[in-house]
Amino acid sequence: MICSVECFVRFIKEPPCRGTAQLGILSFSMAQFQGGRPIFGEPDIEFYVRSTPKLSEELVRRSEQASELEAKKKHTADERAQLDRFRTFEERASATEAGQLFVEVRGVDVFDPSTGEVRSDSADGIACWMIDDDYNEESFFVRHAYFLGQNDPYKAMKTTLKAEIDEEAWSTLNSDTSRPFDRPKSGRIAVKVINHLGYEVMKVFRVE
């Protein structure tokens, strides 16, 4: 969770400027290849546009899964977390207006050079993820920032910032699903994902 907190503090105190993100990508990418450490790879990301078959089908699928889970008398911690994610997804979908979209990060693939294997990590392995909702292919500007973290990220955030934080406001940032935003004028969005070791990867999407 340390990485998540540091990302948040840097985001607040040092607003991103042109060129900063590019330098960050370069330094993190080089670090990934040193010492035979696991390499942060392809992120599993989806974006959904209002009133499209893709979103409608996903809402139906998740509603069915949620109904099955809710029918159980007892739930594990993972099942409760899954239900919370279902509710958040539905809330963000409902809040999305015509011409808008939202993004969901599901996890990331990690390549281990010592074994030659690729494993798929869930969103639990992500400390921080950000969106440039109108990517110009030159610089990454942070328009949205979300923090997943482990253990108790809310408590860690308060300790690091030494201040009280609105828990309701924090809950909108502690999410694997973004708030809705308008279609990009550039026709592209970029999503950057950072894990707990500080490695990052960026993926660009074209939005028709």
Side-chain angles (χ1 to χ4, degrees):
M1 181 54 213
I2 293 175
C3 178
S4 302
V5 173
E6 289 178 346
C7 289
F8 184 73
V9 173
R10 188 167 64 246
F11 176 62
I12 292 177
K13 295 185 177 179
E14 302 175 18
C17 60
R18 183 174 294 275
T20 301
Q22 292 174 318
L23 291 174
I25 292 171
L26 177 61
S27 62
F28 280 124
S29 297
M30 290 176 65
Q32 292 180 38
F33 290 94
Q34 296 176 356
R37 295 178 179 178
I39 299 171
F40 211 34
E42 182 79 5
D44 184 5
I45 297 168
E46 290 286 350
F47 70 89
Y48 299 90
V49 180
R50 173 78 175 184
S51 302
T52 58
K54 178 181 177 181
L55 177 57
S56 299
E57 291 169 4
E58 188 65 19
L59 284 170
V60 170
R61 185 182 72 83
R62 295 191 186 215
S63 177
E64 292 174 348
Q65 291 180 335
S67 296
E68 291 178 4
L69 284 176
E70 288 171 345
K72 298 177 65 175
K73 293 183 178 180
K74 293 184 179 180
H75 299 98
T76 64
D78 286 344
E79 288 172 338
R80 288 194 295 271
Q82 190 174 8
L83 283 170
D84 287 340
R85 287 195 293 270
F86 286 159
R87 295 188 188 101
T88 299
F89 187 91
E90 290 177 352
E91 289 170 1
R92 298 290 164 88
S94 298
T96 304
E97 299 179 354
Q100 290 189 320
L101 61 148
F102 65 96
V103 175
E104 178 188 39
V105 59
R106 298 177 175 178
V108 67
D109 289 340
V110 178
F111 172 71
D112 189 337
S114 64
T115 63
E117 296 180 347
V118 176
R119 68 174 186 269
S120 295
D121 283 355
S122 68
D124 292 337
I126 295 172
C128 170
W129 65 286
M130 299 166 282
I131 304 172
D132 183 340
D133 59 16
D134 195 14
Y135 184 56
N136 63 8
E137 295 188 287
E138 294 180 0
S139 300
F140 184 95
F141 291 92
V142 179
R143 315 290 187 182
H144 297 244
Y146 302 93
F147 308 89
L148 301 180
Q150 297 174 330
N151 301 322
D152 189 349
Y154 178 68
K155 181 180 179 181
M157 185 73 71
K158 289 198 298 183
T159 301
T160 300
L161 296 179
K162 298 179 180 179
E164 288 298 318
I165 300 173
D166 187 302
E167 191 166 1
E168 184 176 350
W170 160 251
S171 67
T172 67
L173 301 177
N174 181 216
S175 176
D176 58 9
T177 307
S178 77
R179 295 184 298 275
F181 53 90
D182 295 334
R183 285 176 180 267
K185 295 179 181 178
S186 65
R188 291 175 298 275
I189 63 172
V191 181
K192 185 177 292 188
V193 177
I194 304 175
N195 73 356
H196 298 283
L197 298 177
Y199 298 155
E200 71 177 52
V201 63
M202 184 176 77
K203 189 171 184 178
V204 179
F205 297 88
R206 179 170 292 280
V207 181
E208 301 296 339

